[in-house]
């Protein structure tokens, strides 16, 4: 399974901390998607791994974004608010 935590959410500065923990033997992928469905950031997450990422959306417009964590078996979507 894959656990994802993103904070602060909403973010006034546009800086988010993303914590991802994978407990399986498959790699995962984190995509940040804007409201038009365009992927603006992507990273591959290694199997059996816990990692913190600093996500900087400050150069993007204020609004709603989605963090999509995709594995072979599942997809998790988290709504991000960039104020």
């Amino acid at each position: 399974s894959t656990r994802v935590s993103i904070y602060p959410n909403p973010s006034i500065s546009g800086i988010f901390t993303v914590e991802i923990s994978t407990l399986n033997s498959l790699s995962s992928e984190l995509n940040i998607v804007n409201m038009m469905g365009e992927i603006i950031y992507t990273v591959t997450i290694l199997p059996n791994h816990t990692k913190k990422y600093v996500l900087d959306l400050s150069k993007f417009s204020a609004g709603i974004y989605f963090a999509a964590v995709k594995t072979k078996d599942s997809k998790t979507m988290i709504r991000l608010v960039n104020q």
Side-chain angles (χ1 to χ4, degrees):
S1 74
T2 301
R3 292 182 303 150
V4 182
S5 175
I6 301 176
Y7 56 90
N9 192 14
S11 173
I12 295 169
S13 66
I15 307 294
F16 297 86
T17 299
V18 181
E19 290 186 37
I20 300 174
S21 177
T22 60
L23 302 174
N24 57 36
S25 59
L26 303 171
S27 62
S28 305
E29 188 174 80
L30 167 67
N31 292 315
I32 304 300
V33 182
N34 65 19
M35 289 296 286
M36 297 184 326
E38 299 168 329
I39 296 173
I40 61 169
Y41 177 86
T42 189
V43 66
T44 299
I45 303 145
L46 299 174
N48 297 311
H49 197 73
T50 299
K51 180 86 175 172
K52 270 190 190 181
Y53 300 92
V54 174
L55 177 61
D56 184 355
L57 297 183
S58 63
K59 63 184 175 187
F60 295 101
S61 302
I64 307 292
Y65 295 84
F66 294 94
V69 178
K70 189 168 77 172
T71 66
K72 180 183 175 199
D73 300 324
S74 68
K75 186 173 184 179
T76 303
M77 297 284 281
I78 298 173
R79 183 175 167 252
L80 302 176
V81 179
N82 183 18
Q83 295 183 331

